[in-house]
Amino acid sequence: NMPEINVTPLGAGQDVGRSCILVSIGGKNIMLDCGMHMGYNDDRRFPDFSYITQNGRLTDFLDCVIISHFHLDHCGALPYMSEMVGYDGPIYMTHPTKAICPILLEDFRKITVDKKGETNFFTSQMIKDCMKKVVPLNLHQTVQVDDELEIKAYYAGHVLGAAMVHIKVGSESVVYTVSVNKYAKSHISAWIDKCRPDILISESTYATTIRDSKRCRERDFLKKVHETIERGGKVLIPVFALGRAQELCILLETFWERMNLKAPIYFSTGLTEKANHYYKLFITWTNQKIRKTFVQRNMFEFKHIKAFDRSYADNPGPMVVFATPGMLHAGQSLQIFKKWAGNEKNMVIMPGYCVQGTIGHKILNGQRKLEMEGRATLDVKLQVEYMSFSAHADAKGIMQLIRMAEPRNMLLVHGEAVKMEFLKGKIEQEFSIDCYMPANGETATVTTNPSVPVDISLNLLKREMALGGPLPDPKKPRTMHGTLIMKENSLKLVSSEQALKELGLNEHQLRFTCRVQLQDPHSDPDTLHRIYTHLKSVLKGYTIQHLPDGTVMVESIVIKVSSSAEDTNAKVLLLSWSYQGGEYFFTALCIVKRLMYQ
Amino acid sequence: MAAHLKKRVYEEFSKVVQVTHEEAPAKKLRLSKPSKSAALHVDLCKASSSTDALQYLLTFSRKPVEAESVEGVVRILLEHYYKETDSSVRLKIASLLGLLSKTPGFSPDCIVDDAINTLSSEKSHQVLAQLLDSLLVIGSQLPESPAVRLRLIEVAYKNLSDSSFGVRTKCLQLLGCLGLLEAPLGKDSDGPGPSLAAMRDVQSIISDYFGDQDPRVRTAALKAMLQLHERGMKIHQIIYDQACRLLSDDYEQVRSAAVQMVWVLSQLYPESIVPIPSSNEEIRLVDDAFGKISHMVSDGSWMVRVQAAKTLGSMLQVSPHFLEQTLDKKLMSDLRRKRTAHERAKELFASGEFSSGRKWADDAPKEKLDTNTVNLIASGACGAFVHGLEDEMFEVRNAAVEALCQLARSSPSFAEKCLDFLVDMFNDEIEEVRLQSIHVLRQISTHITLREDQLDTVLAVLEDSSRDIREALHELLCFTNVSTKECIQLALLELLKNLNKYPTDRSSVWKCLKFLGSRHPTLVLPLVPELLSTHPYFDTPEPDMDDPAYIAVLVLVFNAATSCPTMPALFSDHTFRHYAYLRDSLSHLVPPLRLPGRKQVYGLDSVDCGSGSGSVESAQLFLQQSLNRVSTIQNLEAAGAPELLDLTIRDLQRLGELQTELAGAADFCATFLRCQLLLMKALQEKLWNISVPLILKQNITVTAAAQQVLDESYKLEFLYSGLENRQVATIHHVRLQAKALQLILAARTRHGLDSLISSCEKFLQDVESFQRLFLTELPHLQDSFVEKLLELLPRLSSCKPVEQVKILQTTLRQSGLLQLRLPEQIHRATATIIEPTGESDNPLRFTSGLVVALDIDATLEHVQDPQNSVKVQVLYPDGQSHVIHPKPADFRKPGPNRHRLITQVYLSHTAWTEPSQIEVRLLLAYSSSCSSRLGWTDAMDSLHPAEGTVEGTIPFSKHVKVFIMPKPARR
């Protein structure tokens, strides 16, 4: 019955969004991420926790929960799980995640409850209570969850504070990673030890994509902004509050600095401002350039970027404005867009994907006349640009990670089944390791072959070393003699003498005796003497003794001759050997026999 | 111990008997030596505990030990070593052994045996490792002794099987540094056992440890092998496979060393054939190694990545097929092939459209990919540079750029291919990388022609706020080939924008346009009407001649016109006038043109444009002829001599202005001749025959002349580079003449005898030092003042001062003119202050008593060691002057013999009532001690440190005036 690791995705199995993966390893149950699905408004938006237990709290069934980063599809269900379903155990996340996560949750709650008017949703207090259960993680810090379970976080890139987690129980281990950002040099790039985990669980959203150099796209972006500014136009960049916005801010800020530009850059207040604050605090989690400049100043202490005020939109002259939300469907970004749309000198840059039905989607598809509320139409004269900056790992990044960590098995989550299929094939072909892609609720089982550590006594080791060559060769196994003692959950390899002593047992001598009948006319002592001299002449290099008590000892074999009372010619040769001397015995026996039958 | 020392001392005594008298003091010193080791001995004996002993040893190791007493000290140390039980003390002793054997003048062969003996009894692994380390030092001190080496190698072999990694590491190090280079003699079996072991193949033994269990030992083994290679041993090819296996080691230092090892082997056996595993194909070893190292560019550790990227650059023998794979990147999106931005840009360019990204999804993926052909993990060389250039760490990116450069320089086709990538790097987030890639592009620019879209990206960098970047880019544009006239227009436009935004770049921009014009005359030709805004029927207004932008356009056009004779026909009248003006005011930027229907403005122009390099030769000839003509003057009093000199000086000065290549030489000659002329005039005055009281007025002029000659002689010596000893001698000779003149004048005017005596003595000292310094040059100074002086020296030194002066006077007047021989290359150090320009009318205001920083930007040409010699002088209107030493970091070196000083000087002053100008200029500091240190330092340094050196400064830039206004502080 080999030990196994079971991985069951409750969400994100062959699917995107609602990341929630259960791992049971070495008798421990761990939940990786606890996300929500953006596409649903009903029960399907949260993972199905009834899989774990039908009724009652989850605390008894889970040893810990680990959150990889602050995106809602990775942490959105956390207050629901901990407060409404019930979980009191530890929740692990990195410091930046812990800081930013509640902001997003609160925002999410506001939209759902205040705007959409849903009831039976978690409250602000629940978010707070949930956050109290969080244990923050530092990078590369090994945290002992209990005596056997330990976790260690690695830098993952993607967004601020995103982490890869190495989970270890005994010699079995699992690495969980999201969206490793190896190629896009946005904020970070990931690195992990060659930790050779049993399973590497990785996200595979962009499994079938190999992206172009980030630098090209950045250059295009900057060039467009620059040209518009030089013409005296205004640039609107609708963004989502976190991640992308900061990335673009840094990009523009540096460019302004480099090119000595004077036009003002604004970002809309509120969420972005708060998030910027956290970026400022967690400067060490960002990329080399940002870290390096920190000696002089904090890069997020923007020099050119100021907070936006509603009235600024009417100011003359060029400017760049970052405004939320990203799809131009409501709020500040839409207001500004309406103001600026009429001037062909201006420009709007959509830095991300837009959902169908939003204004963003319409203008990207080239619609030049928009119908607004109240039957008004809006002529779109400004230039519309699309810029894709995605911080997800592409196929190459995942392969790179596999090469770095050298896992024994691979498990793909958070991606579409077809794409996963492709990547799975590639992984199996390239690294010849097994690759799994379980669907939601499906369990992938990996049997492990754990190595069992055994303590060995130093004396025994030294003795064995003295027997062999000068140095143990790690490549070649060697056999050794010893006694394995299993006592109180620990294994010990000691020499047999010591084992006897420890266990308080007496040593039993095991002797085997063999009687050989033969005809010999000589007297007993003569026969013995003949045997002695013969053995002496044949077995050179062995200790052979003729003992006064009428026996011959060859090493540990005792040879004795006795004749029966009836027939003095019929001699009985008694050979006796101990268990250890078995190997010599047959040689001795053959020689003696040969001598007698001559 | 003591007996041994005593014996040694006696031995030395017995030797000393024959030694000459001078070495007596050395003997005395030597006698005191044993006391030092004895002191140590006493200290060690006194030490009650091992901590004390350690303390003594630590203090002892801080003081140097004389070579003579090292052996004694070592013996005392070893004696203590055997007694010591504490391993930390033994460790210290072991390290001292190595330290002591490094003492200069000490040959450690006498302690080799003792040091080796200590190994046998040592139990502590740490001490053992330290002992081996010391042995390594001893061994490397004795490179000439094969016996010692053999013994040490034997020791290393013996300890290789030690269980401690430290000992094994040290043994491998020892083998790497001392292992025998000669291949072992196969059948040489008559030697005794141990030496046979020493003769075993070092390489195979070291390579056994490639598989050691400790990564540090593996690294040491690789390093030892590399060391052997460095020492000239040919590494066997069998090592290659083993080294390749280590490329996938778990430890980064092993991988890093393995990369080096693989590289070494690829350079040794580039053409060998190696099989590709899992197929029966074979490839060249260098290609295989290239592929493997390329793979390391995506290693997990950035140190290894840097190492790998750097190494790739030096693998020039790699096949082009492999080389081009490094730039391969296949993009895909949802399993469909996607074109890279580069490809898209190229296509757009080919189709004539010039914009991108306007349409939604214009980068939409096109063809469907076969899943089997997509290589996700780059195998081999695939995309190595693509990864390297996009690495997170800028160190890796920089290394990749460097490697690209090296490879591209040797392969034009690769240069063409990597262009896109390099141009991309112009937008890197780290300035160093941007700068590096601009430099690289310049270096490979001979191979490439920029496309319009690439040029666009390149030119965008012109707005960078970093001056270094902009200037590097100007430099790049000077060497760039572009393909179309639109490119020229674009470049001009951007450069003018640059000029507008950063007016300080003026000269750099002009220079850039000069080269752009002369490189692409045919491309400029169709643009001329537009550029000069001429019209076939109408006269257009005359542009402003002082507009830097207009000058920039003219520089471009005129330079293009030199090789395009049809162009001047398109010029309008005022263009010709502006040409004449610019040709005169900016002659380094505007070339001479053959203009139809116009007389050549300057006679020399025809020579200039007629034969490019020939003109330099003819100018050289002219220079030589002038010098020859001057040399006909035998005597300083010859008739017509001053006129001839005058004329020649004028000629030379003009020549220097016209021929920039010879400016240094011509200037040098002219200055030299002026000195001669001044001397001549001073001596020619009839005053020498008139009685003393009458000549007071003339005296003043002569004194001034003597002082001027003296000053000029310092300029001659320190302002010009490329002087040979002979010229220096000539200069010193002139100086001596000037000093003689001063002496004579002093004798005539002053009456104090004491001062005269002292100055006479000083003069004689000068003469002597001259003789010492230029002993080898004396034969060339025939018939000169000095030669005559040296003939009379015995008489001079014995007679009275008044007598001396008389002799001097006659000698000086009789001596002939010294011939000047020109060295090969001679350059004058020059400095131009670019900023401040001195044109600003707005005063710098600041509160008096506080400081204000003034930015200074200057170029220095032909200045040796500017960090130490160049100073900034600030002169305030009240006559105060400050000399500021710029920081060494303020000097950059943009080219050979060129330096750039960008610094800030801090000004401060008490309050003024109105703004006033201060003057800023650069000084070249000199001290003659450096030149006179040749032969007589021993005598001089301790006795007269001040007298031997003459320190001073030569102003070598024009001064620039800056308005400043210190205001009184408000209370």
Coordinates of all heavy atoms in Angstrom, one line a residue, chain B residues 138 209 370 554 565 576 637 705 729 839 842 859:
Chain B
I138 N 53.8 28.3 -1.4 CA 55.2 27.9 -1.5 C 55.6 27.4 -2.9 O 56.5 27.9 -3.5 CB 55.6 26.9 -0.5 CG1 55.5 27.5 0.9 CG2 57.0 26.4 -0.7 CD1 55.7 26.5 2.1
Y209 N 37.3 13.7 -10.0 CA 36.5 14.5 -9.0 C 35.4 15.3 -9.6 O 34.8 16.1 -8.8 CB 37.5 15.3 -8.2 CG 38.3 14.4 -7.3 CD1 39.4 13.6 -7.7 CD2 37.8 14.1 -6.0 CE1 40.0 12.7 -6.9 CE2 38.5 13.2 -5.2 CZ 39.6 12.5 -5.6 OH 40.2 11.6 -4.8
D370 N 1.0 23.2 -36.5 CA 1.1 21.7 -36.2 C 1.7 21.6 -34.8 O 2.7 22.1 -34.5 CB 2.0 21.1 -37.2 CG 2.1 19.6 -36.9 OD1 1.3 19.1 -36.1 OD2 2.9 18.9 -37.6
L554 N 22.5 73.5 -43.0 CA 23.6 73.8 -43.9 C 24.7 72.8 -43.8 O 25.3 72.4 -44.8 CB 24.0 75.2 -43.7 CG 23.1 76.4 -44.2 CD1 23.8 77.7 -43.9 CD2 22.8 76.2 -45.6
P565 N 28.7 67.1 -57.1 CA 29.0 68.4 -57.8 C 27.7 69.1 -58.3 O 27.8 70.3 -58.5 CB 29.9 68.1 -58.9 CG 29.9 66.6 -59.0 CD 29.4 66.0 -57.8
F576 N 25.4 80.8 -50.7 CA 26.8 80.9 -51.0 C 27.5 81.8 -50.0 O 28.5 81.5 -49.5 CB 27.0 81.4 -52.4 CG 26.7 80.4 -53.5 CD1 25.6 80.5 -54.3 CD2 27.5 79.3 -53.6 CE1 25.3 79.6 -55.2 CE2 27.2 78.3 -54.6 CZ 26.1 78.5 -55.4
E637 N 72.9 86.1 -33.4 CA 73.1 87.5 -33.8 C 73.1 87.7 -35.3 O 73.4 88.8 -35.7 CB 74.3 88.1 -33.1 CG 74.1 88.2 -31.6 CD 75.2 88.9 -30.9 OE1 76.4 88.8 -31.4 OE2 75.0 89.5 -29.9
A705 N 60.9 89.2 -20.9 CA 61.1 88.2 -22.0 C 61.6 86.9 -21.4 O 61.2 85.8 -21.7 CB 62.1 88.7 -23.0
A729 N 64.8 67.3 -23.8 CA 66.1 67.9 -23.5 C 66.2 69.3 -24.2 O 66.7 70.2 -23.5 CB 67.2 67.0 -24.1
E839 N 27.0 82.9 -22.7 CA 26.1 83.8 -23.5 C 24.9 84.3 -22.6 O 24.2 85.2 -23.1 CB 25.6 83.0 -24.7 CG 26.7 82.8 -25.7 CD 26.3 81.8 -26.7 OE1 25.2 81.2 -26.6 OE2 27.1 81.5 -27.6
N842 N 21.2 86.2 -17.9 CA 20.5 86.1 -16.6 C 21.5 85.6 -15.5 O 22.1 84.6 -15.6 CB 19.4 85.0 -16.7 CG 18.4 85.3 -17.7 OD1 18.1 86.5 -17.9 ND2 17.8 84.3 -18.3
T859 N 35.3 69.4 -23.0 CA 36.0 68.3 -23.6 C 37.4 68.6 -23.5 O 37.9 69.7 -23.7 CB 35.6 68.1 -25.1 OG1 35.7 69.4 -25.7 CG2 34.2 67.6 -25.2

